[in-house]
Amino acid sequence: MKTLICTTPGQFEYAEREKPVLEKDHSILKIRRIGICGTDLHAFEGTQPYFAYPRVLGHELAAEFVEGNNAEGFTPGELVTFIPYFHCGECIACRSGKPNCCSSIKVCGVHVDGGMAEYLSVPSHSLLHGEGLSEDELALVEPLAIGAHGVRRADVKEGEFVLVIGAGPIGLGIMEFARIAGGRVIAMDINDHRLSFCQEKLSVEYTINPLKDDVNAKLSEITNGDFPTVVIDATGSQKAINSGFLYMAHGARYVLVGLQKGELIVSHPEFHKREATLMSSRNATREDFRHVISCMKQGLVKPATYITHRVQFDQVKDEFESWLKPETGVIKAIIEM
């Protein structure tokens, strides 16, 4: 089968590999769609934590179920997606119902080879039925589940102000599920094109560009001096993450969905006096995936809105680097197999 390998930062190579064979408790998938996310982009540019080369990228997948072992209820030919966080089932996190942060987790396309290939073997327990969703929709379930999990971590309440820092695909998903939870969303990004997308496509009520706006003054104006009671970072930028501590209301919750390699730098007195809560949000759970699929089926989330670029598998090597450039205007790129 044909496979695309990220051999070193900035370099892709196509290669022929053996098609996977069926193993105990695994299933074989024929890949139909691959979504490109920040993890893939960061891996390509060499800034992704927990990463080693060479690696086959790709974990936002829609696929055709080919065959499986211990995959009861799945039928050859049906469209599926899967949960790409392969957990051990035995560590303290798994025993506590948090397989998304398993102590020995292997994320498909990060720790183990992913879906930029014609076929992929995955644990059968990771499979999810397509439930009538399209290939494009199924490829977007995983990134939206990341956002849904962050919002669930934040425990967003009806009517409270939620500041989402970063209007990339993950940030947009956070905005969607914060809205569904009843939050009043404030989008912050340094890219005006993305802020316009938030307003026009997602009906986000408020936007802030920190390169142009006085952030504290605008947040005070929007919230009548209270500041947001939820702040969620989806940038993976050290500067943005550290600045987020200054935007919280007293008693606020700050959730870090974005990930960067450096240190958190915060004024302890400023954080302490707020009696703020700081949380990380890693991956997502089956509950989040089911919530996303349900919202898609109800029309509360329209995944097609996100897709701005589309390429065939044999074009990826030539096109991928361009998606790192803001002027390209990429929100979500999809690879068709």
Side-chain angles (χ1 to χ4, degrees), residues 177-193:
F177 285 95
R179 170 185 56 78
I180 290 168
R184 300 182 66 183
V185 176
I186 307 165
M188 182 184 294
D189 201 282
I190 60 173
N191 185 318
D192 282 332
H193 170 72

Side-chain angles (χ1 to χ4, degrees), residues 68-270:
N69 176 269
N70 198 15
E72 185 176 351
F74 289 89
T75 305
E78 77 165 293
L79 284 180
V80 299
T81 188
F82 78 118
I83 301 172
Y85 326 123
F86 306 151
H87 59 280
C88 73
E90 298 175 355
C91 72
I92 180 63
C94 290
R95 298 198 312 270
S96 302
K98 298 181 178 181
N100 56 299
C101 60
C102 167
S103 62
S104 57
I105 200 166
K106 290 180 170 55
V107 178
C108 186
V110 178
H111 308 101
V112 296
D113 284 343
M116 288 193 184
E118 293 180 271
Y119 293 90
L120 180 68
S121 174
V122 302
S124 295
H125 65 70
S126 69
L127 294 175
L128 291 160
H129 291 285
E131 299 193 30
L133 297 178
S134 70
E135 293 173 340
D136 286 351
E137 289 171 327
L138 288 172
L140 285 169
V141 170
E142 191 273 344
L144 288 169
I146 297 285
H149 186 70
V151 169
R152 187 156 64 90
R153 289 280 285 156
D155 192 22
V156 172
K157 305 295 186 186
E158 182 78 31
E160 69 178 329
F161 285 101
V162 180
L163 172 64
V164 181
I165 307 173
I170 299 298
L172 297 176
I174 293 168
M175 294 175 203
E176 293 266 61
F177 285 95
R179 170 185 56 78
I180 290 168
R184 300 182 66 183
V185 176
I186 307 165
M188 182 184 294
D189 201 282
I190 60 173
N191 185 318
D192 282 332
H193 170 72
R194 290 196 166 186
L195 292 178
S196 296
F197 184 93
C198 293
Q199 290 180 309
E200 295 166 8
K201 302 295 185 181
L202 305 186
S203 300
V204 169
E205 199 170 355
Y206 307 101
T207 61
I208 298 175
N209 184 331
L211 297 182
K212 300 179 179 181
D213 301 319
D214 182 328
V215 176
N216 285 317
K218 197 156 185 181
L219 286 174
S220 181
E221 177 187 353
I222 291 168
T223 64
N224 296 315
D226 289 338
F227 282 74
T229 48
V230 174
V231 178
I232 305 179
D233 179 84
T235 64
S237 159
Q238 186 182 49
K239 181 178 180 180
I241 290 169
N242 291 337
S243 296
F245 286 97
L246 303 176
Y247 305 145
M248 295 185 293
H250 282 237
R253 292 95 72 200
Y254 188 12
V255 181
L256 303 182
V257 178
L259 177 64
Q260 48 89 26
K261 285 186 172 181
E263 297 178 344
L264 296 177
I265 302 172
V266 58
S267 165
H268 192 173
E270 288 296 320

